[in-house]
Amino acid sequence: MLFFVLMIAFSAIMMGVMMVLGDFIVGFFVEEQEIIAMGATGLRITSVMYVALGVIYVMRGTLNGLGDAKYALVNGICEVVGRIVFAAILTSIPFVGFWSVWLTNGFTWILAGAAGYIRFKQGKWKNRSIVDKESMNSNEKISRVEKELRSAC
C-alpha cells in the first residue's frame, strides 16, 4: 500500500511540474514558440495520466517479485496492442488530430495498469513460484536468500 501512496504523491508532484514548467522543459529542446506550446500541451495531457503509468510499474514489479513473471510479458503485449488500437481509433476522429498521439499513451497506461491491478487482485500469483516449494523447507529458503543477498552486496 505504501508504494501506491508514494506513486500517487510522485505522480501529483510531476503533474504539477508539467503543468507549471511544461513550456520551460520543452524549450530546452526547441526554440519555436508554436512547437514549445504544442509539446508543453502534450506533456500536460500525459501528466494527468501518470498515476496509471505508476500502477503499471508497481503492478509489474510486484507480480514479478511474487513469481508471476510471465504476466509481465502478457501485460507488455497488452500495452503494445492498446497503443495500436487506441492510435487507430483516435486518429480516425477528425477533431482529435495529432493530440491522439498523447491521448493514446494515457489510455494505454490506463488499460495496462487496470489489467495489472485486476491480475493482482485475482490472487493468481499466490499459486506461482520461482523456486520449487516442495524441494525446500523454510530454513533452506532463508539460508538461500541470505546467501544470494550476501553475494549481491
Side-chain angles (χ1 to χ4, degrees):
M1 192 62 172
L2 176 63
F3 292 117
F4 279 111
V5 172
L6 292 173
M7 180 260 310
I8 291 170
F10 183 75
S11 296
I13 291 167
M14 292 310 298
M15 185 186 327
V17 168
M18 295 304 155
M19 294 296 174
V20 174
L21 300 174
D23 295 292
F24 182 72
I25 293 169
V26 176
F28 275 121
F29 303 99
V30 294
E31 294 179 4
E32 297 85 7
Q33 289 302 314
E34 184 178 344
I35 303 298
I36 290 172
M38 289 174 20
T41 301
L43 287 176
R44 290 179 184 114
I45 290 170
T46 57
S47 73
V48 173
M49 302 180 196
Y50 282 166
V51 171
L53 181 61
V55 171
I56 292 172
Y57 287 119
V58 170
M59 288 294 95
R60 281 187 191 162
T62 300
L63 291 168
N64 275 336
L66 293 170
D68 197 3
K70 289 180 184 175
Y71 181 73
L73 173 66
V74 172
N75 193 253
I77 292 169
C78 173
E79 192 172 351
V80 170
V81 170
R83 286 185 191 280
I84 293 167
V85 170
F86 285 126
I89 292 169
L90 291 171
T91 56
S92 68
I93 302 171
F95 64 87
V96 178
F98 63 87
W99 298 116
S100 62
V101 173
W102 300 99
L103 293 170
T104 292
N105 276 335
F107 292 156
T108 301
W109 295 341
I110 291 169
L111 174 71
Y117 184 77
I118 290 167
R119 176 67 172 204
F120 179 78
K121 283 304 204 179
Q122 286 174 337
K124 292 183 179 183
W125 53 269
K126 294 176 184 177
N127 300 324
R128 310 259 186 230
S129 178
I130 53 176
V131 295
D132 183 14
K133 293 177 185 177
E134 296 174 6
S135 68
M136 300 176 75
N137 65 37
S138 61
N139 289 336
E140 289 174 338
K141 288 179 188 177
I142 292 170
S143 175
R144 182 175 174 184
V145 170
E146 286 174 347
K147 287 177 187 176
E148 289 176 10
L149 288 174
R150 285 187 193 130
S151 67
C153 298

